[in-house]
Amino acid sequence: SAVISQKPSRDICQRGTSLTIQCQVDSQVTMMFWYRQQPGQSLTLIATANQGSEATYESGFVIDKFPISRPNLTFSTLTVSNMSPEDSSIYLCSVGAPTGSGNTIYFGEGSWLTVV
Amino acid sequence: QKEVEQNSGPLSVPEGAIASLNCTYSDRGSQSFFWYRQYSGKSPELIMFIYSNGDKEDGRFTAQLNKASQYVSLLIRDSQPSDSATYLCAVQTGGSYIPTFGRGTSLIVHP
């Protein structure tokens, strides 16, 4: 499976600021996704990062709050804008690899954000 | 609404025992099933996946799938304290290219 690196791994952010998370994959991948995992909760898909076009957002997530870029097949960024304490979460970059009849999701190391 | 249900636990088992983790899902069209392990402070890592009814074994791990009952389980034989983690079940339907995750079951293996 691909090696997925995320930066920053952790950060403490001030309310009202924005932070950009970078995700680098060591090989070209078609499918890249961004997930959020709030404390004690499961993984929630934020959006699919589409190379060369706008990301596809899941219900409850909007581009103004979570702008995503994907300039090529190995790199993506997620920005968490105008942060509030409710945005304190783990943000996970992931890639999908075709496996049998479905796609297996592999995760990066995650970015732990605390908003104060 | 596609739902994946797991008992949050914690499930506590003694070292050397078999740990049994269960997952039910609502969508009968589900085709692919995954188990992930997530250590505290770490991201989820894939343990194994299963597509067909029956058992699939990989080392100390066995995934069991029963599509008629909409039930998938993970057995961990000879449980070790290092197996203590949260185990996430993920289910993917044929109409979606990404899985739906359950909330996970916390497993504690005590010496």
Side-chain angles (χ1 to χ4, degrees):
Chain A
S1 61
V3 175
I4 308 166
S5 303
Q6 280 186 240
K7 290 192 300 185
S9 58
R10 291 183 185 276
D11 209 339
I12 298 174
C13 308
Q14 295 296 315
R15 186 192 301 247
T17 63
S18 299
L19 182 79
T20 296
I21 303 167
Q22 297 181 359
C23 177
Q24 180 73 53
V25 187
D26 69 343
S27 60
Q28 292 187 342
V29 293
T30 303
M31 292 177 286
M32 288 182 75
F33 311 97
W34 287 96
Y35 281 84
R36 180 174 74 180
Q37 188 177 33
Q38 294 178 303
Q41 302 297 313
S42 187
L43 297 160
T44 302
L45 180 65
I46 298 172
T48 301
N50 300 310
Q51 191 266 328
S53 64
E54 190 172 290
T56 304
Y57 289 86
E58 298 297 306
S59 176
F61 297 95
V62 295
I63 188 171
D64 289 347
K65 177 66 176 177
F66 297 101
I68 289 171
S69 77
R70 184 157 180 211
N72 56 52
L73 293 176
T74 64
F75 186 79
S76 178
T77 67
L78 167 74
T79 298
V80 186
S81 303
N82 188 25
M83 285 185 284
S84 67
E86 293 71 34
D87 295 318
S88 297
S89 186
I90 308 167
Y91 292 86
L92 293 155
C93 174
S94 64
V95 302
T99 311
S101 62
N103 294 296
T104 301
I105 304 298
Y106 297 94
F107 293 94
E109 306 129 325
S111 298
W112 268 249
L113 301 187
T114 302
V115 184
V116 297
Chain B
Q1 180 81 10
K2 303 169 189 174
E3 294 184 350
V4 179
E5 299 289 340
Q6 294 182 259
N7 188 320
S8 62
L11 173 66
S12 182
V13 300
E15 183 175 358
I18 296 175
S20 177
L21 303 159
N22 305 316
C23 173
T24 60
Y25 58 94
S26 62
D27 191 335
R28 284 195 171 273
S30 300
Q31 297 184 357
S32 305
F33 307 85
F34 307 86
W35 282 100
Y36 290 80
R37 177 176 61 198
Q38 186 174 22
Y39 291 114
S40 179
K42 301 292 186 181
S43 65
E45 57 178 325
L46 180 70
I47 298 174
M48 62 193 307
F49 53 82
I50 185 168
Y51 304 129
S52 304
N53 275 327
D55 295 358
K56 179 181 179 182
E57 187 175 315
D58 184 359
R60 294 187 296 113
F61 299 99
T62 299
Q64 298 177 318
L65 175 61
N66 185 325
K67 289 187 178 180
S69 300
Q70 295 175 242
Y71 178 95
V72 59
S73 64
L74 179 71
L75 302 179
I76 306 175
R77 290 182 300 281
D78 189 22
S79 296
Q80 302 297 310
S82 59
D83 294 325
S84 298
T86 296
Y87 289 81
L88 300 167
C89 171
V91 176
Q92 185 172 12
T93 66
S96 173
Y97 55 89
I98 48 176
T100 300
F101 285 83
R103 292 194 169 194
T105 298
S106 173
L107 172 66
I108 299 172
V109 181
H110 53 86

